[in-house]
Amino acid sequence: MAKPDLTTGSVTSAPALDMRDACFEELCQIATADRNVVVMTDDMGAFSLEKFEKDLAPQYFNMGIAEQNIVSVAAGLALGGKRPFIYGISTFVTMRCYEQIRVDLCCMNLPVTIIGSGAGYTYGSDGPTHHATEDVAIMRALPEMTIFNPSDPVLTAAMVRMAYKNSGPAYIRIEKGPLPCLYAEQHDFQRGFEVLRPGRDVVIVATGVMVHSALQVAEELSNHSLDAGVVDLYRIKPIDEGALSSSLGQAKRLITIEENSIIGGIGSLVAEIMAGRSRPVPLKRIALPDRFCCEYGNREWLHAYQGLDVKSLAKTILEWK
Amino acid sequence: MEVCEMKEIARRVRYQVLEMIVSAGKGHIGGSFSCTDILIALYHGGILRFDVKNPKWSGRDRFIFSKGHSTEALYAVLANLGFFPVSELCTYGKGGSILGGHADNKVPGIEVSTGSLGHGLGIAAGLALAAKLDKKDYLTLALLGDGECYEGSIWEAAMFAAHHRLENLVAIVDRNGQITLDYTEECNRFEPFDDKWRAFGWDVRVVDGHSFEALLEAFMDVRARNAQRPLMIIAKTVKGKGVSFMEGELYWHHNVPKGDKLDTARSELALNG
C-alpha cells in the first residue's frame, strides 16, 4: 500500500498498523491521565484492549452481551461525571441499541463514544448479521451525533482523542486489521475531510478503508489518461458543508465510493450537499446495492463480487460517460 | 411531615394533574394518579435529598422517573416544591411550554429525559455505579411502571445492578397491574413478580403504594441498608387512584374526562383527603 504526499499527491510506501491497536493505545493513554474514562465492551475483545483491562482494571467493564443496557448504563455513568467508551461489533453497538442511543445519549447530548469494530464487509464471510452496511445511514440521522470513519492508524488515534474532547455522543467506525498510514502524526484533522490527491478530470470521495482503494483506483485511472483526485471524508458528521461544497464544487465530475448501502451513506451525503449548489456537478455514487449480501467469502472476494475491487471500480469510472 | 398533610398534598397534585390534562386535551391520567402517592412519600416524606434552590446540587439523590408518560404528576410535585412556578403548570402541552407530555431533563428537578419505556433502570444503574466508583454518598432511585418491565432492557439492567452489588440503587415499581389495552396478568403474566426480582439478586419489599405509612416504612432505611444488593420496592397501586370511576379502568390510561365525568372528578378530588 502507498502513502500519498499531501502536497504533491505522489505516493511513497508506508508501514501498516492495526487500527484497533491505534485506537486502544490512544484510549489507554487518555484513560491513564483521566481516571473518569471508562471502557465498556459487549464481550468483544482486542489484543490491545487486554492491556487496558490489565493496567486500568477499575476503568474496564465487560458488560456481557447486552447492548441496550450498555448504552443506558453509559448514559448514567456520563451523568455521574464519567467518560464512557463503548466497544463492540459495529452492527450490534449501533443497531441493537439504536433507541437507547437516540434517547439516552442524543436527546440528552451526553459525552459517550461508541467504537464500532468491523466497518462494512470487515467480517466478510460472517454474513449480513455482521456486515455494517447501514450503520452510517442510521447514525447520520441522529441529532447531536458525531461520526468518525478513520482511514489510517494516525487518524484513528486522533479521532479517539477528538471524541474524548467532544461534549456530546460520538461514533467511531474502526477497521479490524492493519492499514498503512496516510497521515503524519501532527496532521490537523479539524476540517473533517482531506484532499489526498488533486485531480483535474474527476474527484473521488471515499471514507475508511475505501480511501486506500480510491488511491489505487486513481493510479489506475492515470494509466488511462484520466486525472483523478481523492478526498478522504473521515468525519461523516458534522460536515463543514461550506468547505466541502466549495472543495468538491471545483470538480468536473464527482464519484463517491463506499462500502455501505447506496441508501444514506456518503454518496447520499455528497448528493445532499451538492444539490444545493447553483452549478451542478455530475455525480456517480458507487456503493453496495440495497439488499443483504448472503453470498459468503472474505472481504476481498465480496468486494470483487460487489464491484468494489480496484479493477471493477476503475472500469466503472472509465465507462461512466 | 404528618401523613394527613401528605394526603392533602396528594389530593392537590391529583387535582392539578386533572386540570393540566383537561386543559391540554391529552395526557396519561391513570398512571399519574397511581404513582402520585409514591412521589409525595419520596419528596415530602424526608426520603429524597434535594435542594430546590440548587437543582443540580452535587450531593442530591438522583431520581430517575422511568415511566416518563406519567410526568404530569412529577411536574405538579416539583412545581409545588418550588423547582419552577406553579403557574407554569397551566402551560402544560401548549405552544412554547417547558412542560411536554414526557419527562425532559431541561425542566428544573428532572434528572433524565424519559418517555420511551425500559431505559430508566439502566441509566439509574450507571449513576449508582458512578457514585460507587467515586465513593459518593448520593442514592439513585428509579420509579418504573410495571408495564415497562416487559422490556428486556429492564432485566439486562436488573442483572447488571445485582452483579455490581449496587446497594446504593433503589427501584420502585408502580404496580398498578395495567397497561394501555389490557391488564398485565392477562397480557403477559408478571406474577410471581417479586420472586423474579429476588431471583435476579435484588432485595424486594412489597408495599401498599397508596399507604404513606407503608411507603415511608419501606423507604426508611434506604440510606443505611446492611446489604450488598439493590433494593426493589414493589408498590401495589390502583390506576386512576383518587377518582372513583377511573380506578382500575383501562379506559382512563390516557383519555380525558369531559362533561359529567369531569364534574365528578373535580368534585371527588376537591372533597377527598
PDB file of all heavy atoms in Angstrom, chain A residues 58 61 63 66-69 72-73 75-77 79-80 82 99-100 103-104 108, chain B residues 105 112-113 116 119 122-123 125-127 129-130 133-134 138 153 156-157 160 164:
ATOM      1  N   PRO A  58     -10.004  -1.019  37.109  1.00  0.00           N
ATOM      2  CA  PRO A  58     -11.220  -0.375  37.641  1.00  0.00           C
ATOM      3  C   PRO A  58     -11.986   0.445  36.600  1.00  0.00           C
ATOM      4  O   PRO A  58     -13.130   0.820  36.840  1.00  0.00           O
ATOM      5  CB  PRO A  58     -10.678   0.542  38.748  1.00  0.00           C
ATOM      6  CG  PRO A  58      -9.316   0.031  39.057  1.00  0.00           C
ATOM      7  CD  PRO A  58      -8.791  -0.521  37.770  1.00  0.00           C
ATOM      8  N   PHE A  61     -15.011  -2.502  31.919  1.00  0.00           N
ATOM      9  CA  PHE A  61     -16.190  -3.302  32.233  1.00  0.00           C
ATOM     10  C   PHE A  61     -16.578  -4.164  31.036  1.00  0.00           C
ATOM     11  O   PHE A  61     -16.919  -3.640  29.980  1.00  0.00           O
ATOM     12  CB  PHE A  61     -17.383  -2.393  32.586  1.00  0.00           C
ATOM     13  CG  PHE A  61     -17.158  -1.575  33.820  1.00  0.00           C
ATOM     14  CD1 PHE A  61     -16.594  -0.311  33.722  1.00  0.00           C
ATOM     15  CD2 PHE A  61     -17.472  -2.074  35.071  1.00  0.00           C
ATOM     16  CE1 PHE A  61     -16.362   0.454  34.858  1.00  0.00           C
ATOM     17  CE2 PHE A  61     -17.242  -1.329  36.213  1.00  0.00           C
ATOM     18  CZ  PHE A  61     -16.681  -0.063  36.113  1.00  0.00           C
ATOM     19  N   MET A  63     -19.450  -5.849  29.918  1.00  0.00           N
ATOM     20  CA  MET A  63     -20.860  -5.727  30.308  1.00  0.00           C
ATOM     21  C   MET A  63     -21.679  -6.947  29.894  1.00  0.00           C
ATOM     22  O   MET A  63     -22.879  -7.013  30.174  1.00  0.00           O
ATOM     23  CB  MET A  63     -21.465  -4.485  29.652  1.00  0.00           C
ATOM     24  CG  MET A  63     -20.762  -3.199  29.990  1.00  0.00           C
ATOM     25  SD  MET A  63     -21.167  -2.625  31.640  1.00  0.00           S
ATOM     26  CE  MET A  63     -22.889  -2.148  31.422  1.00  0.00           C
ATOM     27  N   ALA A  66     -25.252  -7.414  26.069  1.00  0.00           N
ATOM     28  CA  ALA A  66     -26.478  -6.700  26.480  1.00  0.00           C
ATOM     29  C   ALA A  66     -26.336  -5.241  26.065  1.00  0.00           C
ATOM     30  O   ALA A  66     -26.168  -4.352  26.886  1.00  0.00           O
ATOM     31  CB  ALA A  66     -26.670  -6.829  27.987  1.00  0.00           C
ATOM     32  N   GLU A  67     -26.421  -5.009  24.756  1.00  0.00           N
ATOM     33  CA  GLU A  67     -26.082  -3.681  24.233  1.00  0.00           C
ATOM     34  C   GLU A  67     -27.043  -2.582  24.695  1.00  0.00           C
ATOM     35  O   GLU A  67     -26.632  -1.441  24.896  1.00  0.00           O
ATOM     36  CB  GLU A  67     -26.030  -3.713  22.698  1.00  0.00           C
ATOM     37  CG  GLU A  67     -24.837  -4.472  22.128  1.00  0.00           C
ATOM     38  CD  GLU A  67     -25.039  -5.976  22.095  1.00  0.00           C
ATOM     39  OE1 GLU A  67     -26.155  -6.443  22.401  1.00  0.00           O
ATOM     40  OE2 GLU A  67     -24.081  -6.698  21.763  1.00  0.00           O
ATOM     41  N   GLN A  68     -28.314  -2.932  24.845  1.00  0.00           N
ATOM     42  CA  GLN A  68     -29.249  -1.892  25.309  1.00  0.00           C
ATOM     43  C   GLN A  68     -28.830  -1.391  26.689  1.00  0.00           C
ATOM     44  O   GLN A  68     -28.815  -0.195  26.963  1.00  0.00           O
ATOM     45  CB  GLN A  68     -30.665  -2.456  25.381  1.00  0.00           C
ATOM     46  CG  GLN A  68     -31.239  -2.852  24.035  1.00  0.00           C
ATOM     47  CD  GLN A  68     -32.607  -3.475  24.197  1.00  0.00           C
ATOM     48  OE1 GLN A  68     -33.575  -2.786  24.511  1.00  0.00           O
ATOM     49  NE2 GLN A  68     -32.701  -4.766  23.999  1.00  0.00           N
ATOM     50  N   ASN A  69     -28.485  -2.335  27.553  1.00  0.00           N
ATOM     51  CA  ASN A  69     -28.080  -1.956  28.902  1.00  0.00           C
ATOM     52  C   ASN A  69     -26.755  -1.194  28.888  1.00  0.00           C
ATOM     53  O   ASN A  69     -26.569  -0.251  29.666  1.00  0.00           O
ATOM     54  CB  ASN A  69     -27.968  -3.208  29.776  1.00  0.00           C
ATOM     55  CG  ASN A  69     -27.761  -2.861  31.233  1.00  0.00           C
ATOM     56  OD1 ASN A  69     -28.519  -2.093  31.802  1.00  0.00           O
ATOM     57  ND2 ASN A  69     -26.719  -3.409  31.833  1.00  0.00           N
ATOM     58  N   SER A  72     -27.560   2.444  28.111  1.00  0.00           N
ATOM     59  CA  SER A  72     -28.248   3.139  29.210  1.00  0.00           C
ATOM     60  C   SER A  72     -27.316   3.324  30.404  1.00  0.00           C
ATOM     61  O   SER A  72     -27.291   4.398  31.017  1.00  0.00           O
ATOM     62  CB  SER A  72     -29.504   2.364  29.640  1.00  0.00           C
ATOM     63  OG  SER A  72     -30.486   2.439  28.634  1.00  0.00           O
ATOM     64  N   VAL A  73     -26.553   2.300  30.741  1.00  0.00           N
ATOM     65  CA  VAL A  73     -25.605   2.426  31.852  1.00  0.00           C
ATOM     66  C   VAL A  73     -24.554   3.494  31.513  1.00  0.00           C
ATOM     67  O   VAL A  73     -24.185   4.308  32.372  1.00  0.00           O
ATOM     68  CB  VAL A  73     -24.935   1.071  32.179  1.00  0.00           C
ATOM     69  CG1 VAL A  73     -23.757   1.254  33.131  1.00  0.00           C
ATOM     70  CG2 VAL A  73     -25.950   0.114  32.797  1.00  0.00           C
ATOM     71  N   ALA A  75     -25.008   6.074  29.711  1.00  0.00           N
ATOM     72  CA  ALA A  75     -25.664   7.373  29.904  1.00  0.00           C
ATOM     73  C   ALA A  75     -25.653   7.754  31.384  1.00  0.00           C
ATOM     74  O   ALA A  75     -25.351   8.896  31.749  1.00  0.00           O
ATOM     75  CB  ALA A  75     -27.101   7.320  29.379  1.00  0.00           C
ATOM     76  N   GLY A  76     -25.965   6.792  32.233  1.00  0.00           N
ATOM     77  CA  GLY A  76     -25.945   7.049  33.680  1.00  0.00           C
ATOM     78  C   GLY A  76     -24.553   7.398  34.168  1.00  0.00           C
ATOM     79  O   GLY A  76     -24.369   8.326  34.970  1.00  0.00           O
ATOM     80  N   LEU A  77     -23.560   6.670  33.672  1.00  0.00           N
ATOM     81  CA  LEU A  77     -22.178   6.969  34.061  1.00  0.00           C
ATOM     82  C   LEU A  77     -21.783   8.375  33.608  1.00  0.00           C
ATOM     83  O   LEU A  77     -21.129   9.118  34.350  1.00  0.00           O
ATOM     84  CB  LEU A  77     -21.227   5.934  33.442  1.00  0.00           C
ATOM     85  CG  LEU A  77     -21.221   4.546  34.106  1.00  0.00           C
ATOM     86  CD1 LEU A  77     -20.521   3.519  33.217  1.00  0.00           C
ATOM     87  CD2 LEU A  77     -20.543   4.598  35.472  1.00  0.00           C
ATOM     88  N   LEU A  79     -23.803  10.894  33.132  1.00  0.00           N
ATOM     89  CA  LEU A  79     -24.498  11.842  34.019  1.00  0.00           C
ATOM     90  C   LEU A  79     -23.800  11.930  35.369  1.00  0.00           C
ATOM     91  O   LEU A  79     -23.855  12.954  36.046  1.00  0.00           O
ATOM     92  CB  LEU A  79     -25.961  11.404  34.214  1.00  0.00           C
ATOM     93  CG  LEU A  79     -26.887  11.607  33.016  1.00  0.00           C
ATOM     94  CD1 LEU A  79     -28.160  10.791  33.165  1.00  0.00           C
ATOM     95  CD2 LEU A  79     -27.228  13.086  32.842  1.00  0.00           C
ATOM     96  N   GLY A  80     -23.129  10.841  35.750  1.00  0.00           N
ATOM     97  CA  GLY A  80     -22.383  10.813  37.010  1.00  0.00           C
ATOM     98  C   GLY A  80     -20.951  11.299  36.878  1.00  0.00           C
ATOM     99  O   GLY A  80     -20.154  11.120  37.800  1.00  0.00           O
ATOM    100  N   LYS A  82     -18.624  10.454  34.401  1.00  0.00           N
ATOM    101  CA  LYS A  82     -17.659   9.587  33.723  1.00  0.00           C
ATOM    102  C   LYS A  82     -17.645   9.869  32.217  1.00  0.00           C
ATOM    103  O   LYS A  82     -18.551  10.503  31.679  1.00  0.00           O
ATOM    104  CB  LYS A  82     -18.003   8.112  33.975  1.00  0.00           C
ATOM    105  CG  LYS A  82     -18.020   7.733  35.447  1.00  0.00           C
ATOM    106  CD  LYS A  82     -16.655   7.860  36.049  1.00  0.00           C
ATOM    107  CE  LYS A  82     -16.644   7.590  37.525  1.00  0.00           C
ATOM    108  NZ  LYS A  82     -15.367   7.893  38.165  1.00  0.00           N
ATOM    109  N   GLU A  99     -32.334   2.789  19.807  1.00  0.00           N
ATOM    110  CA  GLU A  99     -33.235   3.699  20.505  1.00  0.00           C
ATOM    111  C   GLU A  99     -32.615   4.228  21.799  1.00  0.00           C
ATOM    112  O   GLU A  99     -32.856   5.371  22.197  1.00  0.00           O
ATOM    113  CB  GLU A  99     -34.563   3.002  20.782  1.00  0.00           C
ATOM    114  CG  GLU A  99     -35.685   4.002  20.946  1.00  0.00           C
ATOM    115  CD  GLU A  99     -36.525   3.721  22.139  1.00  0.00           C
ATOM    116  OE1 GLU A  99     -36.166   2.842  22.936  1.00  0.00           O
ATOM    117  OE2 GLU A  99     -37.553   4.399  22.280  1.00  0.00           O
ATOM    118  N   GLN A 100     -31.805   3.389  22.453  1.00  0.00           N
ATOM    119  CA  GLN A 100     -31.086   3.877  23.638  1.00  0.00           C
ATOM    120  C   GLN A 100     -30.091   4.965  23.234  1.00  0.00           C
ATOM    121  O   GLN A 100     -29.918   5.960  23.948  1.00  0.00           O
ATOM    122  CB  GLN A 100     -30.350   2.729  24.340  1.00  0.00           C
ATOM    123  CG  GLN A 100     -31.206   1.929  25.301  1.00  0.00           C
ATOM    124  CD  GLN A 100     -32.094   0.906  24.626  1.00  0.00           C
ATOM    125  OE1 GLN A 100     -31.997   0.682  23.428  1.00  0.00           O
ATOM    126  NE2 GLN A 100     -32.969   0.272  25.385  1.00  0.00           N
ATOM    127  N   VAL A 103     -32.320   8.147  22.467  1.00  0.00           N
ATOM    128  CA  VAL A 103     -32.977   8.821  23.601  1.00  0.00           C
ATOM    129  C   VAL A 103     -31.986   9.141  24.719  1.00  0.00           C
ATOM    130  O   VAL A 103     -31.930  10.265  25.216  1.00  0.00           O
ATOM    131  CB  VAL A 103     -34.135   7.939  24.142  1.00  0.00           C
ATOM    132  CG1 VAL A 103     -34.762   8.581  25.373  1.00  0.00           C
ATOM    133  CG2 VAL A 103     -35.196   7.736  23.054  1.00  0.00           C
ATOM    134  N   ASP A 104     -31.199   8.122  25.118  1.00  0.00           N
ATOM    135  CA  ASP A 104     -30.358   8.306  26.305  1.00  0.00           C
ATOM    136  C   ASP A 104     -29.123   9.156  26.000  1.00  0.00           C
ATOM    137  O   ASP A 104     -28.684   9.932  26.843  1.00  0.00           O
ATOM    138  CB  ASP A 104     -29.905   6.947  26.869  1.00  0.00           C
ATOM    139  CG  ASP A 104     -31.092   6.065  27.250  1.00  0.00           C
ATOM    140  OD1 ASP A 104     -32.227   6.549  27.217  1.00  0.00           O
ATOM    141  OD2 ASP A 104     -30.870   4.881  27.571  1.00  0.00           O
ATOM    142  N   MET A 108     -30.170  13.737  25.326  1.00  0.00           N
ATOM    143  CA  MET A 108     -29.566  14.458  26.458  1.00  0.00           C
ATOM    144  C   MET A 108     -28.149  14.924  26.128  1.00  0.00           C
ATOM    145  O   MET A 108     -27.469  15.485  26.990  1.00  0.00           O
ATOM    146  CB  MET A 108     -29.578  13.568  27.707  1.00  0.00           C
ATOM    147  CG  MET A 108     -30.983  13.310  28.211  1.00  0.00           C
ATOM    148  SD  MET A 108     -31.041  12.593  29.856  1.00  0.00           S
ATOM    149  CE  MET A 108     -30.654  10.888  29.518  1.00  0.00           C
TER     150      MET A 108
ATOM    151  N   ASN B 105     -35.219  16.467  30.752  1.00  0.00           N
ATOM    152  CA  ASN B 105     -34.249  16.873  31.782  1.00  0.00           C
ATOM    153  C   ASN B 105     -33.867  18.350  31.720  1.00  0.00           C
ATOM    154  O   ASN B 105     -33.053  18.811  32.504  1.00  0.00           O
ATOM    155  CB  ASN B 105     -32.994  15.987  31.749  1.00  0.00           C
ATOM    156  CG  ASN B 105     -32.084  16.289  30.582  1.00  0.00           C
ATOM    157  OD1 ASN B 105     -32.516  16.827  29.562  1.00  0.00           O
ATOM    158  ND2 ASN B 105     -30.811  15.944  30.716  1.00  0.00           N
ATOM    159  N   VAL B 112     -33.487  13.097  34.167  1.00  0.00           N
ATOM    160  CA  VAL B 112     -33.245  12.363  32.918  1.00  0.00           C
ATOM    161  C   VAL B 112     -34.472  12.468  32.019  1.00  0.00           C
ATOM    162  O   VAL B 112     -35.608  12.413  32.506  1.00  0.00           O
ATOM    163  CB  VAL B 112     -32.955  10.874  33.255  1.00  0.00           C
ATOM    164  CG1 VAL B 112     -33.076   9.986  32.034  1.00  0.00           C
ATOM    165  CG2 VAL B 112     -31.570  10.711  33.873  1.00  0.00           C
ATOM    166  N   SER B 113     -34.240  12.609  30.729  1.00  0.00           N
ATOM    167  CA  SER B 113     -35.343  12.603  29.763  1.00  0.00           C
ATOM    168  C   SER B 113     -35.810  11.167  29.549  1.00  0.00           C
ATOM    169  O   SER B 113     -35.000  10.288  29.240  1.00  0.00           O
ATOM    170  CB  SER B 113     -34.878  13.186  28.424  1.00  0.00           C
ATOM    171  OG  SER B 113     -34.537  14.538  28.575  1.00  0.00           O
ATOM    172  N   SER B 116     -39.623   6.869  26.420  1.00  0.00           N
ATOM    173  CA  SER B 116     -39.550   5.527  25.861  1.00  0.00           C
ATOM    174  C   SER B 116     -39.283   4.598  27.035  1.00  0.00           C
ATOM    175  O   SER B 116     -38.354   4.817  27.823  1.00  0.00           O
ATOM    176  CB  SER B 116     -38.430   5.443  24.838  1.00  0.00           C
ATOM    177  OG  SER B 116     -38.295   4.104  24.424  1.00  0.00           O
ATOM    178  N   HIS B 119     -35.815   2.304  29.770  1.00  0.00           N
ATOM    179  CA  HIS B 119     -34.492   2.925  29.786  1.00  0.00           C
ATOM    180  C   HIS B 119     -34.008   3.281  31.195  1.00  0.00           C
ATOM    181  O   HIS B 119     -32.817   3.303  31.463  1.00  0.00           O
ATOM    182  CB  HIS B 119     -34.490   4.210  28.964  1.00  0.00           C
ATOM    183  CG  HIS B 119     -34.676   3.998  27.492  1.00  0.00           C
ATOM    184  ND1 HIS B 119     -33.975   4.703  26.538  1.00  0.00           N
ATOM    185  CD2 HIS B 119     -35.462   3.166  26.796  1.00  0.00           C
ATOM    186  CE1 HIS B 119     -34.346   4.320  25.333  1.00  0.00           C
ATOM    187  NE2 HIS B 119     -35.251   3.388  25.467  1.00  0.00           N
ATOM    188  N   GLY B 122     -31.487   1.107  33.623  1.00  0.00           N
ATOM    189  CA  GLY B 122     -30.089   1.053  33.174  1.00  0.00           C
ATOM    190  C   GLY B 122     -29.369   2.367  33.455  1.00  0.00           C
ATOM    191  O   GLY B 122     -28.222   2.372  33.917  1.00  0.00           O
ATOM    192  N   ILE B 123     -30.044   3.485  33.176  1.00  0.00           N
ATOM    193  CA  ILE B 123     -29.437   4.793  33.448  1.00  0.00           C
ATOM    194  C   ILE B 123     -29.189   4.938  34.948  1.00  0.00           C
ATOM    195  O   ILE B 123     -28.119   5.384  35.379  1.00  0.00           O
ATOM    196  CB  ILE B 123     -30.347   5.933  32.929  1.00  0.00           C
ATOM    197  CG1 ILE B 123     -30.461   5.861  31.409  1.00  0.00           C
ATOM    198  CG2 ILE B 123     -29.808   7.292  33.364  1.00  0.00           C
ATOM    199  CD1 ILE B 123     -31.475   6.830  30.811  1.00  0.00           C
ATOM    200  N   ALA B 125     -28.727   2.562  37.070  1.00  0.00           N
ATOM    201  CA  ALA B 125     -27.622   1.670  37.446  1.00  0.00           C
ATOM    202  C   ALA B 125     -26.276   2.317  37.113  1.00  0.00           C
ATOM    203  O   ALA B 125     -25.310   2.206  37.888  1.00  0.00           O
ATOM    204  CB  ALA B 125     -27.765   0.333  36.727  1.00  0.00           C
ATOM    205  N   GLY B 126     -26.212   3.011  35.977  1.00  0.00           N
ATOM    206  CA  GLY B 126     -24.973   3.712  35.614  1.00  0.00           C
ATOM    207  C   GLY B 126     -24.647   4.821  36.604  1.00  0.00           C
ATOM    208  O   GLY B 126     -23.494   4.993  37.016  1.00  0.00           O
ATOM    209  N   LEU B 127     -25.671   5.560  37.011  1.00  0.00           N
ATOM    210  CA  LEU B 127     -25.459   6.624  38.007  1.00  0.00           C
ATOM    211  C   LEU B 127     -25.015   6.039  39.349  1.00  0.00           C
ATOM    212  O   LEU B 127     -24.115   6.573  40.020  1.00  0.00           O
ATOM    213  CB  LEU B 127     -26.752   7.417  38.193  1.00  0.00           C
ATOM    214  CG  LEU B 127     -26.904   8.638  37.285  1.00  0.00           C
ATOM    215  CD1 LEU B 127     -28.353   9.066  37.203  1.00  0.00           C
ATOM    216  CD2 LEU B 127     -26.029   9.785  37.769  1.00  0.00           C
ATOM    217  N   LEU B 129     -23.474   3.219  39.790  1.00  0.00           N
ATOM    218  CA  LEU B 129     -22.104   2.720  39.639  1.00  0.00           C
ATOM    219  C   LEU B 129     -21.103   3.879  39.705  1.00  0.00           C
ATOM    220  O   LEU B 129     -20.045   3.766  40.349  1.00  0.00           O
ATOM    221  CB  LEU B 129     -21.962   1.961  38.314  1.00  0.00           C
ATOM    222  CG  LEU B 129     -20.569   1.418  37.997  1.00  0.00           C
ATOM    223  CD1 LEU B 129     -20.119   0.394  39.046  1.00  0.00           C
ATOM    224  CD2 LEU B 129     -20.536   0.776  36.608  1.00  0.00           C
ATOM    225  N   ALA B 130     -21.440   4.992  39.045  1.00  0.00           N
ATOM    226  CA  ALA B 130     -20.550   6.167  39.084  1.00  0.00           C
ATOM    227  C   ALA B 130     -20.355   6.625  40.531  1.00  0.00           C
ATOM    228  O   ALA B 130     -19.243   6.957  40.947  1.00  0.00           O
ATOM    229  CB  ALA B 130     -21.136   7.301  38.226  1.00  0.00           C
ATOM    230  N   LEU B 133     -18.018   4.176  42.273  1.00  0.00           N
ATOM    231  CA  LEU B 133     -16.628   4.322  41.808  1.00  0.00           C
ATOM    232  C   LEU B 133     -15.969   5.542  42.455  1.00  0.00           C
ATOM    233  O   LEU B 133     -14.776   5.520  42.774  1.00  0.00           O
ATOM    234  CB  LEU B 133     -16.578   4.455  40.280  1.00  0.00           C
ATOM    235  CG  LEU B 133     -16.950   3.201  39.475  1.00  0.00           C
ATOM    236  CD1 LEU B 133     -17.065   3.535  37.989  1.00  0.00           C
ATOM    237  CD2 LEU B 133     -15.917   2.095  39.681  1.00  0.00           C
ATOM    238  N   ASP B 134     -16.754   6.600  42.623  1.00  0.00           N
ATOM    239  CA  ASP B 134     -16.205   7.846  43.182  1.00  0.00           C
ATOM    240  C   ASP B 134     -16.455   7.980  44.682  1.00  0.00           C
ATOM    241  O   ASP B 134     -16.180   9.035  45.259  1.00  0.00           O
ATOM    242  CB  ASP B 134     -16.821   9.059  42.452  1.00  0.00           C
ATOM    243  CG  ASP B 134     -16.367   9.134  41.006  1.00  0.00           C
ATOM    244  OD1 ASP B 134     -15.350   8.486  40.672  1.00  0.00           O
ATOM    245  OD2 ASP B 134     -17.030   9.825  40.206  1.00  0.00           O
ATOM    246  N   TYR B 138     -24.531   9.858  47.414  1.00  0.00           N
ATOM    247  CA  TYR B 138     -25.911  10.062  46.961  1.00  0.00           C
ATOM    248  C   TYR B 138     -26.541   8.716  46.592  1.00  0.00           C
ATOM    249  O   TYR B 138     -25.855   7.783  46.195  1.00  0.00           O
ATOM    250  CB  TYR B 138     -25.999  11.058  45.806  1.00  0.00           C
ATOM    251  CG  TYR B 138     -25.360  10.653  44.501  1.00  0.00           C
ATOM    252  CD1 TYR B 138     -25.991   9.770  43.635  1.00  0.00           C
ATOM    253  CD2 TYR B 138     -24.139  11.191  44.092  1.00  0.00           C
ATOM    254  CE1 TYR B 138     -25.425   9.414  42.417  1.00  0.00           C
ATOM    255  CE2 TYR B 138     -23.558  10.848  42.880  1.00  0.00           C
ATOM    256  CZ  TYR B 138     -24.207   9.952  42.048  1.00  0.00           C
ATOM    257  OH  TYR B 138     -23.636   9.599  40.843  1.00  0.00           O
ATOM    258  N   SER B 153     -34.698  -4.820  28.284  1.00  0.00           N
ATOM    259  CA  SER B 153     -33.630  -3.959  28.817  1.00  0.00           C
ATOM    260  C   SER B 153     -33.744  -3.804  30.339  1.00  0.00           C
ATOM    261  O   SER B 153     -32.731  -3.616  31.019  1.00  0.00           O
ATOM    262  CB  SER B 153     -33.673  -2.585  28.145  1.00  0.00           C
ATOM    263  OG  SER B 153     -34.954  -2.016  28.250  1.00  0.00           O
ATOM    264  N   GLU B 156     -31.945  -6.776  31.682  1.00  0.00           N
ATOM    265  CA  GLU B 156     -30.498  -6.607  31.491  1.00  0.00           C
ATOM    266  C   GLU B 156     -29.947  -5.741  32.617  1.00  0.00           C
ATOM    267  O   GLU B 156     -28.909  -6.033  33.220  1.00  0.00           O
ATOM    268  CB  GLU B 156     -30.194  -5.940  30.143  1.00  0.00           C
ATOM    269  CG  GLU B 156     -30.477  -6.793  28.914  1.00  0.00           C
ATOM    270  CD  GLU B 156     -30.139  -6.062  27.615  1.00  0.00           C
ATOM    271  OE1 GLU B 156     -29.448  -5.038  27.650  1.00  0.00           O
ATOM    272  OE2 GLU B 156     -30.572  -6.530  26.542  1.00  0.00           O
ATOM    273  N   ALA B 157     -30.652  -4.659  32.894  1.00  0.00           N
ATOM    274  CA  ALA B 157     -30.210  -3.732  33.948  1.00  0.00           C
ATOM    275  C   ALA B 157     -30.323  -4.383  35.330  1.00  0.00           C
ATOM    276  O   ALA B 157     -29.467  -4.176  36.200  1.00  0.00           O
ATOM    277  CB  ALA B 157     -31.031  -2.447  33.893  1.00  0.00           C
ATOM    278  N   PHE B 160     -27.362  -6.575  35.795  1.00  0.00           N
ATOM    279  CA  PHE B 160     -26.156  -5.752  35.933  1.00  0.00           C
ATOM    280  C   PHE B 160     -26.065  -5.142  37.333  1.00  0.00           C
ATOM    281  O   PHE B 160     -25.019  -5.186  37.985  1.00  0.00           O
ATOM    282  CB  PHE B 160     -26.183  -4.644  34.870  1.00  0.00           C
ATOM    283  CG  PHE B 160     -25.077  -3.646  35.002  1.00  0.00           C
ATOM    284  CD1 PHE B 160     -23.833  -3.885  34.430  1.00  0.00           C
ATOM    285  CD2 PHE B 160     -25.271  -2.459  35.697  1.00  0.00           C
ATOM    286  CE1 PHE B 160     -22.804  -2.961  34.570  1.00  0.00           C
ATOM    287  CE2 PHE B 160     -24.248  -1.537  35.838  1.00  0.00           C
ATOM    288  CZ  PHE B 160     -23.010  -1.788  35.268  1.00  0.00           C
ATOM    289  N   HIS B 164     -23.105  -6.004  40.148  1.00  0.00           N
ATOM    290  CA  HIS B 164     -22.184  -4.975  40.655  1.00  0.00           C
ATOM    291  C   HIS B 164     -22.528  -4.539  42.080  1.00  0.00           C
ATOM    292  O   HIS B 164     -21.964  -3.566  42.565  1.00  0.00           O
ATOM    293  CB  HIS B 164     -22.144  -3.783  39.688  1.00  0.00           C
ATOM    294  CG  HIS B 164     -21.396  -4.108  38.420  1.00  0.00           C
ATOM    295  ND1 HIS B 164     -20.033  -4.040  38.314  1.00  0.00           N
ATOM    296  CD2 HIS B 164     -21.834  -4.553  37.227  1.00  0.00           C
ATOM    297  CE1 HIS B 164     -19.654  -4.409  37.099  1.00  0.00           C
ATOM    298  NE2 HIS B 164     -20.737  -4.729  36.416  1.00  0.00           N
TER     299      HIS B 164
END
